[in-house]
C-alpha cells in the first residue's frame, strides 16, 4: 500500500520525489545561528526557496537542552513582524513551527498552510481543532509524556505517533494531511508550557538507551514507521547527536555529518527531509532517491 499525503499543496509520500523542508528561524536562541534570519528574513527565504519545496518558519527554538523558552506573546510578536512579508514573497508553502494553538491560528490566518507541532499535539490538545478548522496540513512529532523503560525505542516512537495521529483524525483532520516525524533529538515531553531544560544521558527515561544511541536506532529502523500509513518527515540537520558521535562541538561544523544522516534517513524511507542546508541536502537525497529506485525501502 502506498503512503501519500499533501503538505500545503505539495504531494509527499511513495512515488513522489523526496521533498525538502528548509528551516528559517526568527529566534536568536536557536542552536544553529546560521538558520537565524533577523536582519534579512525575506532575502533569506528567497534564497532557501530556490532549493526547497516547503519553508518552515519558527519564532521560538525548541532545542530541549538550551534555555530557549519565550512566552506566547513574544513568539507571536516575532511572527507578526515577518510572516506577512514572507507569505507575499515566496511561492512555496509555508509551515509554522509551533506547538501553541494561538500562534498556529495566527499563522494559518496569515497564509501559512502547515503546522509543524513538535509536541505531536499533546501539550495543547486543542491544536487539532485549529488544524481542522483551517483545513491545514500538520506534521506530528513523536513525543511521550511518560517513560516506558524496557521497550524498544522504535515501538515507543510508533505508539507515540499513533496516539497523535488518532487524536487529529478524530478531531476532523483528514488523514491525507498528516505527516509523522520520529522526533530525532526530542526527549520526553515536559508537563507544561514553561521553561524546561533537559540534559543528561537518559532523556527518554531508560538507562539502556542514551539519547544519542536512541536517535541512531530510530534512523536505522525508520522503515518501521510505515505501519502508521503516513509519510515520514525527518529532521536531523546539525543536531546534537551528530556532534556527539563525531566529537565536533559546534553545529556550524557538522554539515558533512548532517548530509550523511539525511542520506541514510532517505534510504530508510523518509519522504521529507527538514534541513538548514537545502542546496546540499537536495543533492544528497537525489543520490538516495536513485538508490531507492533500485532497492525500495522494505515494507512492514
Amino acid at each position: 500500500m502506498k503512503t501519500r499525503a499533501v503538505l500545503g499543496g505539495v504531494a509527499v509520500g511513495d512515488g513522489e520525489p523526496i521533498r525538502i523542508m528548509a528551516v528559517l528561524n526568527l529566534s536568536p536562541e536557536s542552536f544553529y545561528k546560521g538558520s537565524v534570519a533577523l536582519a534579512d528574513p525575506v532575502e533569506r527565504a528567497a534564497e532557501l526557496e530556490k532549493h526547497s519545496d516547503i519553508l518552515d518558519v519558527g519564532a521560538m527554538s525548541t532545542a530541549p537542552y538550551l534555555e530557549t523558552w519565550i512566552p506566547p506573546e513574544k513568539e507571536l510578536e516575532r511572527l507578526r513582524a515577518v510572516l506577512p512579508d514572507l507569505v507575499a514573497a515566496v511561492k512555496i508553502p509555508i509551515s509554522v513551527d509551533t506547538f501553541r494553538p494561538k500562534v498556529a491560528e495566527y499563522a494559518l490566518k496569515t497564509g501559512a498552510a502547515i503546522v509543524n507541532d513538535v509536541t505531536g499535539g499533546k501539550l495543547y490538545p486543542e491544536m487539532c481543532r485549529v488544524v481542522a478548522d483551517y483545513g491545514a496540513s500538520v506534521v506530528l512529532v513523536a513525543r511521550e509524556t511518560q517513560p516506558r523503560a524496557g521497550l524498544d525505542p522504535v515501538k515507543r516512537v510508533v505508539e507515540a505517533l499513533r496516539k497523535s495521529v488518532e487524536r487529529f483524525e478524530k478531531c476532523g483532520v483528514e488523514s491525507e494531511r498528516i505527516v509523522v516525524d520520529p522526533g530525532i533529538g526530542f526527549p520526553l515531553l515536559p508537563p507544561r508550557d514553561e521553561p524546561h531544560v533537559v540534559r543528561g544521558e537518559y532523556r527518554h527515561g531508560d538507562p539502556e538507551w542514551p539519547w544519542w544511541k536512541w536517535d541512531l536506532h530510530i534512523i536505522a529502523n525508520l522503515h518501521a514507521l510505515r505501519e502508521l500509513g503516513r509519510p515520514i518527515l525527518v529532521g536531523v540537520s546539525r543536531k546534537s547527536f551528530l556532534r556527539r558521535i563525531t566529537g565536533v562541538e559546534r553545529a556550524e561544523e557538522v554539515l558533512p555529518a548532517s548530509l550523511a544522516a539525511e542520506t541514510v534517513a532517505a534510504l530508510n524511507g523518509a519522504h521529507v527531509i527538514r534541513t538548514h542546508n537545502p542546496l546540499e541536502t537536495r543533492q544528497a537525497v537525489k543520490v538516495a532517491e536513485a538508490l531507492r529506485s533500485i532497492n525500495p525501502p522494505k515494507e512492514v
Side-chain angles (χ1 to χ4, degrees):
M1 182 180 70
K2 284 193 173 185
T3 297
R4 304 289 292 274
V6 175
L7 276 179
V10 175
V12 301
D14 298 338
E16 300 292 340
I18 297 174
R19 303 300 187 180
I20 304 298
M21 174 185 274
V23 179
L24 188 148
N25 283 319
L26 308 176
S27 47
E29 307 87 5
S30 292
F31 78 92
Y32 175 51
K33 304 309 178 187
S35 68
V36 180
L38 298 179
D40 58 346
V42 173
E43 291 80 359
R44 183 75 65 85
E47 188 62 30
L48 293 171
E49 183 180 20
K50 295 176 182 177
H51 312 289
S52 309
D53 302 292
I54 299 164
L55 182 67
D56 193 40
V57 180
M60 184 181 83
S61 171
T62 52
Y65 52 90
L66 297 176
E67 296 180 2
T68 60
W69 186 91
I70 59 172
E73 296 75 19
K74 185 66 173 178
E75 186 182 5
L76 269 171
E77 177 186 326
R78 290 174 175 178
L79 270 181
R80 286 193 178 109
V82 176
L83 188 59
D85 291 336
L86 293 179
V87 170
V90 302
K91 295 181 174 61
I92 60 175
I94 291 178
S95 165
V96 59
D97 181 358
T98 187
F99 57 83
R100 292 163 166 163
K102 288 184 179 179
V103 177
E105 184 167 19
Y106 164 75
L108 295 175
K109 279 183 179 178
T110 305
I114 306 159
V115 176
N116 181 9
D117 186 336
V118 300
T119 75
K122 291 175 179 172
L123 201 56
Y124 286 102
E126 61 267 35
M127 179 66 91
C128 68
R129 178 54 55 198
V130 173
V131 174
D133 287 349
Y134 282 85
S137 302
V138 67
V139 178
L140 297 174
V141 177
R143 300 297 291 275
E144 295 178 300
T145 56
Q146 298 291 332
R148 303 175 70 196
L151 292 180
D152 185 273
V154 175
K155 180 177 177 61
R156 289 175 60 176
V157 164
V158 168
E159 289 309 308
L161 286 170
R162 192 186 310 279
K163 290 179 181 178
S164 291
V165 170
E166 289 176 352
R167 172 179 289 168
F168 275 69
E169 288 178 337
K170 287 179 181 178
C171 217
V173 179
E174 298 176 9
S175 298
E176 292 74 18
R177 294 184 183 275
I178 299 174
V179 169
V180 297
D181 178 336
I184 300 300
F186 287 105
L188 293 171
L189 190 65
R192 291 171 296 278
D193 182 2
E194 61 186 23
H196 187 84
V197 177
V198 179
R199 299 190 180 106
E201 281 289 282
Y202 305 104
R203 302 175 190 178
H204 298 274
D206 190 334
E208 296 297 318
W209 286 99
W211 60 273
W212 54 278
K213 285 189 177 180
W214 173 291
D215 289 343
L216 291 170
H217 184 68
I218 298 302
I219 295 168
N221 294 279
L222 198 63
H223 64 276
L225 273 64
R226 289 186 63 87
E227 73 173 81
L228 295 165
R230 309 309 318 131
I232 302 164
L233 182 149
V234 174
V236 295
S237 178
R238 300 182 185 269
K239 287 194 172 179
S240 55
F241 81 100
L242 298 172
R243 306 199 294 276
R244 174 63 178 263
I245 63 178
T246 60
V248 172
E249 293 185 2
R250 300 172 63 245
E252 288 75 10
E253 300 177 271
V254 287
L255 176 59
S258 291
L259 296 174
E262 289 168 349
T263 303
V264 172
L267 280 173
N268 287 345
H271 300 99
V272 185
I273 300 292
R274 180 182 183 272
T275 182
H276 303 97
N277 322 286
L279 169 62
E280 295 86 350
T281 297
R282 177 80 81 186
Q283 291 188 11
V285 301
K286 282 187 177 297
V287 176
E289 283 179 328
L291 290 168
R292 270 170 54 164
S293 68
I294 296 171
N295 185 23
K298 52 188 174 183
E299 297 289 343
V300 294

